[in-house]
């Protein structure tokens, strides 16, 4: 509780420090940037702290953090003085309702998820050990870039900015890593709730300027849609477990046309009579299944926010969430800009923004490259589209050439400047990404797409139809259809062009090998057969792209309309029209994010579109959720009978189906809100309880001088690398496949794995000393994990682990139970 209060106070103070900057730069936003100020403050201080550390101005210490805060205070005082303290004070006094609701909302959300995490705090399984290892390694690093805890001698080669922010808060509040992990998850939940609330509030305030109290309260639907509403798999799982839609045929076999048509793994199998297993809730994050040429299924990650927080991983896509809402808020500010201030970017072309606003936009958008690099181009494109489409409101009709020019010029300016802001990170960054690959075979079934996004589709399509009926008729649909079908055809043609490029893509094995790897990965006998099968599947399984085509047809058609017609269509103009259009922009952006993986995906070590679907769908959920929340509120305000009743019934049914998962999921994950081991925020507690000797060794190492530690090496998601994970010290090698993913190659990894085995298994001290010197090892751990790993049954380890050489030539600096640490 003490550390929770400290984190709340620190983040709140950072928000108030950052607010005058946003107030000065975002005057057209109804909330003046207030709701986003906490996230902005954390971003500003984290960036200053990291950059000063990289440049050697400060070190990684509490003093370095305080220096960064003082820099932000100085900028904030200047901004407040420039804008006028009186104006800020008057705004605060006049918007007490918004401020009180925002403050209570953040405190409630942060506290709620801290309580949930205290019921299930363990940092075990999935990616959690990796994330804790980063937090602890950053905390233990003297300078930036921080050392890689699982590859001694190297800096972290991953988008680790989110872990810098968590470690920074842990350091300034003296919070242990296990507690900081769970407070970090809870903080990101609270900031995401606040960010989604801020987007919906600003849109509602624009649509109804006089409805201040109504906007402040009804905007709570934003975070509800974003972080609570879930996909329909939980409801389907409930039906499946009770045998609904199953029957026995004459032979006694259970069959179901419905579940076979849905074709979701586990649900396609007959019910076993066991209602809900321990990990039943995992299936909701894997509702999409790709089928290769031979008919073999491949699971695709299709996470959504509630699942992420229920799982409790502090992964980059989660860490980036509140900063994504900050960028959406900045995009809205760019979209409704009024000022005539401008400057010439690098002397090349004019930017119709103040320099300060542009720098904040680029700092936030560029930060995505360091937080979750997949999001970087998407958010740059969003702010560029907002910048370019603003001019549509000022003109009679569209000028596609001018819009494209504005989009490209602003996108280039933001992208290049944002990249430059975080250049030190890119200098040492490696990646497994290897360019775009054509998606010839993998077609998302419409049924699975609706299971995934149905709770958002229902209000979104209702809102689109509502706007269409008031904005114009067939002409709008015709324009939207032409543009949407053109986008689909362009993506299809681009995918087919990539087919011809595949043989030219280089690989580690040499030019020409990629085509064989690609054909093998999709199980096809040839590229020609794959193209033919893919085209056939798109025609016979059209549900997904037809859904997206319909969405694009209506949304793009309305966006294309240059001006609202207030008198004829009973819709408010000007600011309200901007609110509607921005929600449509988010809708179209989400549509494109889901559409793109139907035709191309990013080449990585997984060999199919597992990661591309994961990252693109997640962003689409964030954008669609706030658009759906805004649309729902408008529909309940403006629909008349009988359509209001029709929508209310459909919405209620959809929402009830969507809430089955969070209700049952929370019950399962928290053991009925009755934790087995008691409530605690310390995620390392189970480690101390179940591996007390290892935990005591880690406690000793935390107080010992920094140095390389060697321990057993194992695969991903295993218990290996537990010493480096909990101590923050670098080890020769941790989870091997994770390092291969981060480095994009196994050249560094495989030799180290062999060397560690040799170190533990050899009887020759000269050979062991050579390895110790090669990696500058300071501590050698010999515990139960090492003895169980390096046995005589292991190839290359005759006689098993040979500890005697360590005891004869090194000093035993720690010993408890089965664990001994030898030091040099």
């Amino acid at each position: 509780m003490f550390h929770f209060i400290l984190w709340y106070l620190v983040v709140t103070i950072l928000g108030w420090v950052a607010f005058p900057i946003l107030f000065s730069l975002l005057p057209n936003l109804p909330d003046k940037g207030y709701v986003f100020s906490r996230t902005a403050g954390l971003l500003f201080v984290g960036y200053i702290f990291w950059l000063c550390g990289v440049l050697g101005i400060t070190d990684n210490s509490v003093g370095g953090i305080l220096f960064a805060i003082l820099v932000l205070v100085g900028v904030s005082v200047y901004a407040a003085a420039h804008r006028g303290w009186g104006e800020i004070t008057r705004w605060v006094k006049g918007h007490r309702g918004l401020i009180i609701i925002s403050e209570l909302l953040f405190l409630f959300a942060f506290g709620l998820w801290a309580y949930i995490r205290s019921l299930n705090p363990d940092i075990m399984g999935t990616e959690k050990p990796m994330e804790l290892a980063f937090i602890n390694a950053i905390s233990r690093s003297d300078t930036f870039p921080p050392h890689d805890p699982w590859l001694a001698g190297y800096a972290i080669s991953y988008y680790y900015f989110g872990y810098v922010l968590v470690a920074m808060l842990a350091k300034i509040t003296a919070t242990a890593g296990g507690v900081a992990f769970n407070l970090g998850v809870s903080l990101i939940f609270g900031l995401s709730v606040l960010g989604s609330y801020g987007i919906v509030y600003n849109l509602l305030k624009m649509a109804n300027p006089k409805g201040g109290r109504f906007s402040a309260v009804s905007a709570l639907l934003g975070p509800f849609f974003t972080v609570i509403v879930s996909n329909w798999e939980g409801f389907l799982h409930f039906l499946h477990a009770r045998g609904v839609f199953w029957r026995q045929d004459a032979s006694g076999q259970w069959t179901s046309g419905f579940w076979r048509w849905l074709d979701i793994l586990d649900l396609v199998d007959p019910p076993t009579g066991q209602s809900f297993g321990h990990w039943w809730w995992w299936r909701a994050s894997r509702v999409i299944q790709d089928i290769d040429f031979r008919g073999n299924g491949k699971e695709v990650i299709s996470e959504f926010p509630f699942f992420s927080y229920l799982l409790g991983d502090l992964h980059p896509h989660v860490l980036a969430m509140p900063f994504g809402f900050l960028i959406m808020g900045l995009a809205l500010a760019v979209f409704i800009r009024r000022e005539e201030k401008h400057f010439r970017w690098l002397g090349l072309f004019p930017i119709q923004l103040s320099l300060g606003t542009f720098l904040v936009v680029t700092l936030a958008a560029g930060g995505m490259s360091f937080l979750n690099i997949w999001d970087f181009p998407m958010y740059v494109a969003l702010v560029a589209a907002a910048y370019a489409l603003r001019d549509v409101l000022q003109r009679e009709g569209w000028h596609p050439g001018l819009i494209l020019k504005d989009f490209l010029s602003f996108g280039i300016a933001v992208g290049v400047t944002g990249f430059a802001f975080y250049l030190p990170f890119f200098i040492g960054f490696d990646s497994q990404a290897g360019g775009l690959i054509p998606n010839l075979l993998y077609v998302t079934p419409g049924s699975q797409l609706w299971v995934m996004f149905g709770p958002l589709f229902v209000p979104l399509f209702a809102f689109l139809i509502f706007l269409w009926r008031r904005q114009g008729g067939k002409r709008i649909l015709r324009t939207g259809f032409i543009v949407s079908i053109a986008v689909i055809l362009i993506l299809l043609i681009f995918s087919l062009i990539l087919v011809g490029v595949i043989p030219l893509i280089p690989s580690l094995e040499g030019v020409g090998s990629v085509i064989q790897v690609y054909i093998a990965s999709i199980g096809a006998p040839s590229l020609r057969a794959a193209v033919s099968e893919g085209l056939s599947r798109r025609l016979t399984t059209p549900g997904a792209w037809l859904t997206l085509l319909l969405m694009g047809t209506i949304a793009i058609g309305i966006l294309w309309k240059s001006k609202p017609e207030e008198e004829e269509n009973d819709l408010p103009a000007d600011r309200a029209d901007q609110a509607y259009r921005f929600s449509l922009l988010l809708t179209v952006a989400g549509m494109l994010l889901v559409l793109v993986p139907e035709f191309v995906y990013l080449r990585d070590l997984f060999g199919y579109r597992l990661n591309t679907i994961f990252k693109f769908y997640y962003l689409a959920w964030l954008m669609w959720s706030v658009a759906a929340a805004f649309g729902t509120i408008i529909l309940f305000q403006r629909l008349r009978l009988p359509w209001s009743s029709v929508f209310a019934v459909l919405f209620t049914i959809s929402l009830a189906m969507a809430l089955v998962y969070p209700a049952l999921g929370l019950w399962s994950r928290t053991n009925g809100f009755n934790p087995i081991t008691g409530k605690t925020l310390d995620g390392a507690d189970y480690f101390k309880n179940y591996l007390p000797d290892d935990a005591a060794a880690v406690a000793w190492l935390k107080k010992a001088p920094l140095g390389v530690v060697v321990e057993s090496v194992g695969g991903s998601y295993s218990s290996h690398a537990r010493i480096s994970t909990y101590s923050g010290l670098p080890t020769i090698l941790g989870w091997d496949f994770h390092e291969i993913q981060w480095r994009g190659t196994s050249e560094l990894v495989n030799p180290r794995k062999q060397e560690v085995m040799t170190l533990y298994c050899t009887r020759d001290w000269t050979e062991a000393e050579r390895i110790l010197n090669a990696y500058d090892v300071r501590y050698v751990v010999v515990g139960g994990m090492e003895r169980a790993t390096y046995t005589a049954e292991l190839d290359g380890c005759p006689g098993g682990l040979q500890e005697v050489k360590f005891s004869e030539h090194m000093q035993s600096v720690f010993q408890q139970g089965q664990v001994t640490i030898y030091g040099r």
Side-chain angles (χ1 to χ4, degrees):
M1 185 66 177
F2 174 70
H3 287 102
F4 170 83
I5 294 172
L6 284 181
W7 280 51
Y8 170 78
L9 291 176
V10 169
V11 174
T12 299
I13 291 170
L14 293 182
W16 279 105
V17 171
F19 176 55
I21 299 174
L22 298 186
F23 187 93
S24 177
L25 298 177
L26 310 176
N28 295 320
L29 278 183
D31 79 329
K32 310 298 182 187
Y34 174 80
V35 180
F36 308 104
S37 59
R38 277 186 173 88
T39 303
L42 190 59
L43 172 70
F44 295 157
V45 170
Y47 177 76
I48 297 168
F49 171 57
W50 167 77
L51 185 63
C52 289
V54 168
L55 298 178
I57 297 173
T58 60
D59 56 8
N60 181 15
S61 65
V62 172
I65 299 170
L66 292 176
F67 175 79
I69 294 175
L70 286 175
V71 171
L72 181 63
V73 168
V75 176
S76 182
V77 169
Y78 172 80
H82 176 73
R83 187 72 181 183
W85 287 101
E87 187 175 347
I88 297 176
T89 302
R90 284 191 297 273
W91 185 90
V92 169
K93 290 180 179 179
H95 293 79
R96 290 173 181 166
L98 170 65
I99 293 172
I100 291 173
I101 291 178
S102 299
E103 294 298 318
L104 292 177
L105 177 63
F106 173 70
L107 179 60
F108 172 77
F110 185 21
L112 171 66
W113 216 257
Y115 171 74
I116 297 297
R117 289 304 303 155
S118 75
L119 301 176
N120 184 34
D122 296 347
I123 305 173
M124 57 185 298
T126 61
E127 308 284 354
K128 294 185 187 72
M130 177 209 93
E131 296 147 8
L132 178 63
F134 280 168
I135 293 170
N136 285 331
I138 292 169
S139 297
R140 290 298 300 269
S141 297
D142 294 328
T143 59
F144 289 137
H147 63 253
D148 188 333
W150 289 350
L151 198 72
Y154 286 83
I156 296 175
S157 181
Y158 196 62
Y159 21 98
Y160 63 86
F161 190 35
Y163 304 108
V164 170
L165 300 179
V166 174
M168 178 182 74
L169 291 173
K171 188 178 288 287
I172 200 171
T173 58
T175 306
V179 178
F181 180 96
N182 285 313
L183 283 177
V185 174
S186 307
L187 175 65
I188 294 301
F189 180 85
L191 292 176
S192 298
V193 163
L194 201 58
S196 55
Y197 171 81
I199 299 295
V200 178
Y201 169 80
N202 279 291
L203 291 175
L204 288 173
K205 196 72 171 71
M206 290 164 58
N208 186 9
K210 296 181 180 180
R213 183 174 299 177
F214 171 82
S215 299
V217 174
S218 58
L220 294 171
L221 197 61
F224 180 74
F225 264 100
T226 301
V227 301
I228 301 299
V229 168
S230 304
N231 69 28
W232 285 338
E233 194 280 338
F235 173 73
L236 292 170
H237 194 105
F238 181 83
L239 296 181
H240 179 274
R242 280 152 181 76
V244 178
F245 302 130
W246 287 98
R247 64 180 181 84
Q248 282 185 302
D249 59 20
S251 65
Q253 295 292 319
W254 288 96
T255 63
S256 173
F258 173 78
W259 297 108
R260 187 171 62 252
W261 166 73
L262 205 57
D263 198 25
I264 295 176
L265 286 178
D266 294 343
L267 300 187
V268 76
D269 300 323
T272 61
Q274 184 180 14
S275 295
F276 293 94
H278 180 64
W279 282 82
W280 72 269
W281 48 271
W282 181 268
R283 174 52 49 206
S285 69
R286 304 294 191 276
V287 298
I288 307 296
Q289 182 181 196
D290 282 345
I291 307 296
D292 69 10
F293 192 89
R294 297 188 180 95
N296 300 313
K298 297 183 176 183
E299 279 191 332
V300 174
I301 301 175
S302 50
E303 277 194 34
F304 50 94
F306 186 83
F307 170 86
S308 302
Y309 291 111
L310 185 67
L311 176 63
D313 274 10
L314 198 56
H315 217 52
H317 67 285
V318 176
L319 287 162
M321 274 186 64
F323 302 95
F325 289 120
L326 170 63
I327 296 172
M328 290 186 212
L330 294 172
L332 177 59
V334 168
F335 186 67
I336 63 175
R337 67 192 186 276
R338 290 177 180 172
E339 62 270 29
E340 297 299 325
K341 297 179 181 178
H342 70 277
F343 67 97
R344 296 193 69 84
W345 183 76
L346 300 182
L348 299 177
F349 38 75
I351 300 294
Q352 300 295 328
L353 285 175
S354 68
L355 179 59
T357 304
F358 175 80
L359 292 177
V360 169
V361 170
T362 52
L363 184 68
M368 278 299 169
S369 65
F370 199 3
L371 280 160
N372 187 32
I373 200 166
W374 289 78
D375 295 358
F376 177 48
M378 286 70 160
Y379 280 116
V380 169
L382 179 66
V383 295
Y387 178 86
L389 291 178
R390 178 257 193 179
D391 289 337
V392 174
L393 305 178
Q394 312 298 322
R395 301 176 182 136
E396 288 286 350
W398 275 58
H399 297 268
L402 293 177
I403 292 173
L404 181 63
K405 176 177 175 288
D406 286 347
F407 175 81
L408 291 177
S409 62
F410 192 73
I412 291 171
V414 171
V416 172
T417 308
F419 178 85
F421 275 144
Y422 297 89
L423 183 61
F425 159 68
F426 288 102
I427 291 174
F429 177 67
D430 295 314
S431 173
Q432 61 172 310
L436 292 176
I437 290 291
N439 175 21
L440 300 180
L441 286 182
Y442 304 131
V443 178
T444 304
S447 58
Q448 294 176 3
L449 186 72
W450 272 84
V451 169
M452 177 67 195
F453 291 112
L456 305 181
F457 281 163
V458 169
L460 277 176
F461 275 109
F463 184 52
L464 290 175
I465 293 170
F466 166 78
L467 291 179
W468 164 62
R469 287 180 60 84
R470 285 161 171 75
Q471 287 275 7
K474 293 181 180 180
R475 183 179 177 184
I476 281 181
L477 289 183
R478 184 168 58 252
T479 303
F481 177 80
I482 292 172
V483 175
S484 299
I485 203 70
V487 169
I488 292 174
L489 290 175
I490 289 171
L491 287 171
L492 177 61
I493 293 170
F494 179 65
S495 177
L496 295 175
I497 291 174
L498 285 179
V499 172
V501 176
I502 287 178
L504 305 178
I505 300 175
S507 73
L508 295 176
E509 294 76 24
V511 175
S513 65
V514 171
I515 191 168
Q516 284 81 24
V517 173
Y518 177 71
I519 293 174
S521 72
I522 60 178
S526 66
L527 276 178
R528 178 175 294 181
V531 170
S532 176
E533 174 66 14
L535 292 175
S536 174
R537 289 185 182 184
R538 296 185 197 285
L539 293 175
T540 57
T541 313
W545 67 264
L546 285 178
T547 297
L548 299 173
L549 175 63
L550 177 60
M551 178 180 287
T553 295
I554 303 175
I556 294 173
I558 300 173
L559 267 177
W560 198 275
K561 189 175 178 65
S562 61
K563 284 184 178 295
E565 299 175 14
E566 182 177 2
E567 296 82 9
E568 179 182 345
N569 294 318
D570 192 31
L571 276 179
D574 302 327
R575 297 277 279 183
D577 181 63
Q578 292 175 325
Y580 289 118
R581 288 178 185 271
F582 189 78
S583 70
L584 291 172
L585 176 60
L586 293 178
T587 303
V588 173
M591 182 269 290
L592 292 174
L593 285 167
V594 174
L595 184 64
V596 166
E598 296 299 301
F599 299 95
V600 294
Y601 57 90
L602 195 68
R603 178 190 175 207
D604 57 21
L605 296 177
F606 293 99
Y608 65 112
R609 59 180 190 155
L610 175 146
N611 257 329
T612 305
I613 288 281
F614 175 19
K615 305 297 186 179
F616 281 46
Y617 277 29
Y618 207 84
L619 273 183
W621 186 286
L622 300 186
M623 295 181 185
W624 277 345
S625 64
V626 294
F630 172 71
T632 298
I633 297 167
I634 295 299
L635 288 173
F636 276 118
Q637 274 187 301
R638 299 185 178 278
L639 276 180
R640 300 291 182 263
L641 290 172
W643 299 113
S644 58
S645 299
V646 172
F647 173 69
V649 170
L650 292 175
F651 177 75
T652 301
I653 294 173
S654 170
L655 190 61
M657 292 165 60
L659 293 180
V660 170
Y661 181 83
L664 297 181
L666 273 178
W667 188 263
S668 295
R669 285 288 281 164
T670 61
N671 191 39
F673 296 91
N674 183 31
I676 298 174
T677 57
K679 298 175 186 176
T680 178
L681 277 172
D682 190 355
D685 215 41
Y686 90 97
F687 181 64
K688 301 170 187 175
N689 292 331
Y690 291 99
L691 295 171
D693 297 341
D694 290 326
V698 166
W700 184 88
L701 286 169
K702 284 184 175 181
K703 299 177 182 178
L706 187 67
V708 177
V709 60
V710 61
E711 57 185 318
S712 64
V713 174
S716 298
Y717 314 110
S718 68
S719 298
H720 293 280
R722 83 275 186 206
I723 302 298
S724 53
T725 294
Y726 284 91
S727 69
L729 297 183
T731 190
I732 292 178
L733 181 63
W735 288 359
D736 51 0
F737 185 64
H738 270 65
E739 283 293 348
I740 292 173
Q741 291 181 68
W742 300 336
R743 306 288 166 176
T745 175
S746 61
E747 291 180 353
L748 287 172
V749 174
N750 291 342
R752 289 184 176 226
K753 188 173 184 178
Q754 180 64 42
E755 294 263 72
V756 172
M757 183 180 70
T758 301
L759 175 64
Y760 279 111
C761 297
T762 185
R763 293 183 172 87
D764 184 356
W765 171 248
T766 302
E767 177 70 2
E769 189 175 36
R770 178 193 66 80
I771 297 171
L772 293 174
N773 290 334
Y775 297 101
D776 195 24
V777 172
R778 188 166 192 166
Y779 307 104
V780 176
V781 176
V782 179
M785 182 67 71
E786 286 68 38
R787 295 186 181 92
T789 302
Y790 301 107
T791 63
E793 289 75 25
L794 183 66
D795 289 341
C797 193
L801 191 149
Q802 303 296 316
E803 186 176 355
V804 66
K805 62 180 178 292
F806 300 129
S807 61
E808 290 179 350
H809 296 90
M810 299 177 70
Q811 179 184 1
S812 175
V813 294
F814 172 87
Q815 200 286 320
Q816 177 175 311
Q818 293 187 348
V819 180
T820 302
I821 299 177
Y822 296 95
R824 300 177 73 203

